[in-house]
Amino acid sequence: MNPRPMRLALLTITFALAFAAPCRADADREIALALVGPDTVTTLELHIELGLMQVRNADNIALSFGEPKTILKRLTQNHLIIQEGFRMGLDQEFTVRNQCEEVVRHECMKALLDSVALNIPAETPGVQDKRKAAVQSYLDGLFRRYGVVVDSTVLRSLDYGSKDAAMQKRLQSSTEVLARIGGGRSLTIADFSRELRFTEFHGLVGKADAAERRDNILRDHLAQVAVNRQLKAQKMDQTPQMLMLRARFERSTILEEALRVLLQFDFSPTDPEISHYYRAHTLEVTAPPRFKMASLKAPSEEVANQLRDKIMGGAAVRWLAENDKRVVKGPPPFPDTWLRPEEMGMKPEDAKQNFVPAPYQVPDGWVVAQITVLEPGLPLPLEQCREQVLGMMKRDAMRDHMVDIIARLEKESPIVILPGAEEEVARVVADVVKAAATNGAASK
């Protein structure tokens, strides 16, 4: 995450967060699932883990969280790593603290501006425009309250679309004040140019709407400053909800950082070790078999199956194509080229000499085919797959390293799964899957 503050949208702040509290019924009946040393893992951590899995489901495939026993194992092992992260002092690291502060700040901003917008009832005619106007009016009020004043003359003189070298030098280095903020704070032209680069990564030179973008970015930046002051005045980050949010996000960030630290290890295998690993894993570097097929076309599935039976009984495909009147005349449906099992919907183990798969449906008929030429899969020479072998070795070394880490951590904090935990996990997972399905149907 960039250490600079993220941009504040004037109407809404879209912040997809997997750490939102579970429904109130579950929150009121938080249930213990396991003991990890002195700590208790509860359904609260379970909701967080399931939420993270939903967010990571970028392909939006059907939710599958796994068996309750597997989920419990993941929860407790994650807790072990989080405990180790706290022991390493990762909660005091800048990357962790900064991310947590940003999350809480933006959730506070969202809550504050939503509270303003939602004062306009949903049934109000033109509700979206009126809510936008309400937020804008609120921000204008904050500008007045916190003494935010822009020097409009200076602002209009800033031509970010200009290719003039002198203008660009002024934009990047001028200490001339562009805006003042109550409490003695000021924003110089150079300060604002640095802020602008976080939105317009490629600059505004040559852009026809450079002036409009400049004004919008400045107002967004000043709005963020004013809202942040209001949040501090109201101490919104100290509410129980925000303190809980921070704690949850902190745990997730510490888990990520702890894994990054713990999984750093020396990986420098020798040539003999690489050769030994290669010999022990030749199947994983073996190219799949390839083959050629003789084929014919039948007018129906019934005829195709009858012809298939004849081929399996010993009849040659080419002989049938020339002599069986039921065969659709024409060139062979499949070209005389090398084919792979996955291309023909076959399992690799079915790629055998004279194998006859089930008929394939094609436009205007069915195809019956037989493998006539087979080239078995052969291991790639080590010099051709060395990088693949090294990747496999590192994967296995990382897994073994992680197993050793977990074993060591379990000695520090033994794990005890509590009675009824698997049943409770199954219940929560079922509720989450049902809610996801309901939300998905409602969004269509």
Side-chain angles (χ1 to χ4, degrees):
M1 182 180 291
N2 194 304
R4 301 295 294 242
M6 298 168 65
R7 290 289 164 200
L8 168 67
L10 293 181
L11 183 58
T12 59
I13 300 174
T14 55
F15 188 73
L17 192 60
F19 313 100
C23 64
R24 177 48 48 195
D26 278 343
D28 288 343
R29 56 186 297 272
E30 186 177 346
I31 294 173
L33 301 174
L35 303 178
V36 182
D39 298 337
T40 303
V41 175
T42 72
T43 47
L44 181 60
E45 284 83 359
L46 175 60
H47 276 282
I48 294 171
E49 177 66 20
L50 298 181
L52 280 170
M53 293 177 70
Q54 287 177 279
V55 169
R56 293 174 187 137
N57 185 21
D59 297 329
N60 200 30
I61 58 176
L63 287 175
S64 178
F65 295 114
E67 295 298 318
K69 187 174 183 178
T70 303
I71 295 173
L72 275 170
K73 183 177 181 180
R74 183 165 59 247
L75 277 177
T76 53
Q77 289 186 346
N78 283 352
H79 199 91
L80 285 172
I81 296 168
I82 291 169
Q83 286 179 336
E84 182 68 4
F86 275 105
R87 280 194 286 268
M88 290 189 291
L90 294 181
D91 54 313
Q92 299 302 313
E93 291 287 335
F94 172 79
T95 53
V96 172
R97 295 176 63 182
N98 185 67
Q99 289 187 58
C100 292
E101 289 169 4
E102 285 297 309
V103 165
V104 172
R105 181 183 299 118
H106 281 275
E107 195 66 7
C108 286
M109 286 182 178
K110 182 180 184 300
L112 180 61
L113 296 186
D114 279 353
S115 69
V116 174
L118 295 177
N119 280 327
I120 309 297
E123 61 274 12
T124 303
V127 61
Q128 292 301 326
D129 288 340
K130 289 183 178 179
R131 284 180 172 176
K132 184 176 181 179
V135 171
Q136 189 67 68
S137 177
Y138 178 75
L139 291 173
D140 289 340
L142 291 184
F143 284 177
R144 292 189 295 272
R145 179 179 304 172
Y146 295 111
V148 178
V149 179
V150 176
D151 189 324
S152 56
T153 301
V154 174
L155 178 62
R156 286 194 298 270
S157 72
L158 305 181
D159 188 359
Y160 283 93
S162 173
K163 297 180 181 179
D164 180 68
M167 172 57 71
Q168 289 300 321
K169 181 178 180 180
R170 179 190 176 213
L171 295 175
Q172 303 308 318
S173 60
S174 175
T175 58
E176 188 177 355
V177 173
L178 172 61
R180 296 188 183 279
I181 305 159
R185 181 177 171 184
S186 61
L187 180 74
T188 68
I189 294 174
D191 291 337
F192 176 58
S193 294
R194 283 191 292 272
E195 290 293 331
L196 184 141
R197 282 199 296 271
F198 285 101
T199 300
E200 299 292 344
F201 301 106
H202 303 292
L204 295 176
V205 174
K207 302 289 178 64
D209 60 347
E212 180 182 356
R213 293 195 193 186
R214 171 201 68 196
D215 293 352
N216 289 337
I217 293 169
L218 176 62
R219 182 163 183 85
D220 282 359
H221 173 67
L222 294 176
Q224 184 169 254
V225 171
V227 171
N228 278 335
R229 288 204 174 184
Q230 183 63 19
L231 295 177
K232 290 180 180 179
Q234 294 183 207
K235 296 183 178 181
M236 285 189 67
D237 60 336
Q238 298 302 309
T239 63
Q241 179 184 4
M242 294 304 167
L243 291 174
M244 179 63 74
L245 172 66
R246 180 186 176 90
R248 294 176 190 172
F249 192 81
E250 180 183 60
R251 289 168 61 83
S252 174
T253 310
I254 288 175
L255 173 62
E256 181 180 338
E257 284 296 302
L259 283 172
R260 183 184 63 79
V261 173
L262 293 171
L263 288 178
Q264 291 178 354
F265 62 96
D266 179 56
F267 178 71
S268 304
T270 64
D271 286 341
E273 288 172 336
I274 296 171
S275 297
H276 176 76
Y277 186 94
Y278 166 76
R279 291 192 297 271
H281 295 81
T282 52
L283 286 179
E284 295 181 63
V285 292
T286 296
R290 62 178 188 167
F291 48 79
K292 294 183 179 182
M293 303 184 84
S295 61
L296 56 79
K297 188 175 182 181
S300 67
E301 184 179 12
E302 180 182 3
V303 172
N305 282 318
Q306 292 171 359
L307 292 171
R308 180 174 184 263
D309 290 341
K310 283 194 171 187
I311 294 169
M312 294 177 69
V317 174
R318 289 186 176 86
W319 186 91
L320 285 174
E322 294 174 358
N323 295 280
D324 195 305
K325 295 181 179 180
R326 296 171 298 176
V327 174
V328 176
K329 300 304 179 184
F334 292 162
D336 186 28
T337 56
W338 290 109
L339 301 168
R340 299 288 187 187
E342 63 272 12
E343 295 173 331
M344 305 306 299
M346 294 165 49
K347 298 177 182 178
E349 58 265 28
D350 288 336
K352 300 175 182 177
Q353 186 71 35
N354 298 323
F355 177 73
V356 184
Y360 300 94
Q361 186 174 16
V362 297
D364 302 322
W366 292 76
V367 174
V368 183
Q370 182 183 35
I371 294 177
T372 54
V373 181
L374 176 67
E375 184 180 274
L378 298 173
L380 294 171
L382 177 56
E383 59 269 19
Q384 293 183 19
C385 61
R386 185 180 179 87
E387 290 304 314
Q388 180 184 352
V389 170
L390 285 171
M392 292 160 51
M393 290 182 72
K394 188 167 185 178
R395 175 202 64 195
D396 291 352
M398 188 174 293
R399 179 198 60 210
D400 295 342
H401 183 64
M402 197 67 222
V403 168
D404 291 341
I405 289 172
I406 293 297
R408 175 176 64 80
L409 295 179
E410 284 182 343
K411 291 181 180 179
E412 299 274 347
S413 301
I415 295 173
V416 178
I417 304 298
L418 297 176
E422 289 189 28
E423 292 78 4
E424 187 62 27
V425 169
R427 183 195 67 78
V428 172
V429 168
D431 287 347
V432 170
V433 171
K434 182 179 179 180
T438 301
N439 293 336
S443 64
K444 291 182 180 179

